[in-house]
Amino acid sequence: MRKILPLVGLWAANAVAGALAPPNLQAQAWRTMTSARQIWERAPTDVNVRYGVGMLTVKPADPSMLYQMAVRYDEELFEPVIEWDEDDRELRLGVDKLHHEERRSMKARGGSSATIGLAREVPLTVDLEFGAGKADIELGGLMLQQLSLSTGASETRVSFSQPNRIAAGRIAIEAGAADL
């Protein structure tokens, strides 16, 4: 036999459940987005990666690819960024925050992730900024002309499993409250 609560009983049950729920518990609208671009020209390229919170993986891309990116994000808090300026050879990848409320974006950290592959066959100047969470950055086998890496409150692992394929002019690493 099915039991049907009268409207007042249903309202009371919802009120009690709401009072017992953790504060600021909101549904998240998770989305996954992928993007990639083939190499059409092997001219030096500037790459700017910005990723605020979550799990970030950077690695060499598949052969013949300028970049590959897969992002899982809460669409209420973030939006993916993919900008390619062919004339200036500038590539911008990552996510931007839609809201500036830190508590909400820190809460989103648990499920957000990005995997970014960078070209092996193109000389790159990479500027990478990572905020909070975990990052696994494998740069072995790339053609890094310059690297600027900045990380905040994170657990970040940077590795070169293979030598850089060209002589790098400059590598700068800046870490905040990080385990680097």
Side-chain angles (χ1 to χ4, degrees), residues 98-129:
L98 295 175
H99 304 285
H100 296 288
E101 189 179 328
E102 283 302 314
R103 194 174 336 146
R104 285 189 69 202
S105 52
M106 288 303 287
K107 185 182 79 146
R109 166 170 74 180
S112 61
S113 64
T115 299
I116 298 173
L118 299 177
R120 303 169 197 240
E121 305 296 325
V122 174
L124 301 175
T125 296
V126 176
D127 182 11
L128 193 151
E129 288 184 24

Side-chain angles (χ1 to χ4, degrees), residues 99-173:
H99 304 285
H100 296 288
E101 189 179 328
E102 283 302 314
R103 194 174 336 146
R104 285 189 69 202
S105 52
M106 288 303 287
K107 185 182 79 146
R109 166 170 74 180
S112 61
S113 64
T115 299
I116 298 173
L118 299 177
R120 303 169 197 240
E121 305 296 325
V122 174
L124 301 175
T125 296
V126 176
D127 182 11
L128 193 151
E129 288 184 24
F130 176 60
K134 288 186 175 186
D136 186 10
I137 301 168
E138 166 58 56
L139 301 172
L142 299 182
M143 297 176 71
L144 291 175
Q145 293 180 307
Q146 293 186 26
L147 170 65
S148 176
L149 173 74
S150 175
T151 183
S154 70
E155 181 181 324
T156 301
R157 179 182 159 271
V158 180
S159 61
F160 290 82
S161 63
Q162 299 174 7
N164 194 38
R165 297 181 56 202
I166 59 174
R170 179 177 175 265
I171 292 181
I173 297 176

Side-chain angles (χ1 to χ4, degrees), residues 3-43:
K3 194 173 196 179
I4 299 174
L5 292 175
L7 279 179
V8 173
L10 189 57
W11 176 83
N14 283 336
V16 169
L20 296 176
N24 295 327
L25 185 61
Q26 298 176 1
Q28 293 175 320
W30 291 105
R31 298 286 182 251
T32 300
M33 190 272 319
T34 60
S35 179
R37 181 178 183 83
Q38 288 184 309
I39 296 172
W40 291 101
E41 186 178 328
R42 294 189 185 333

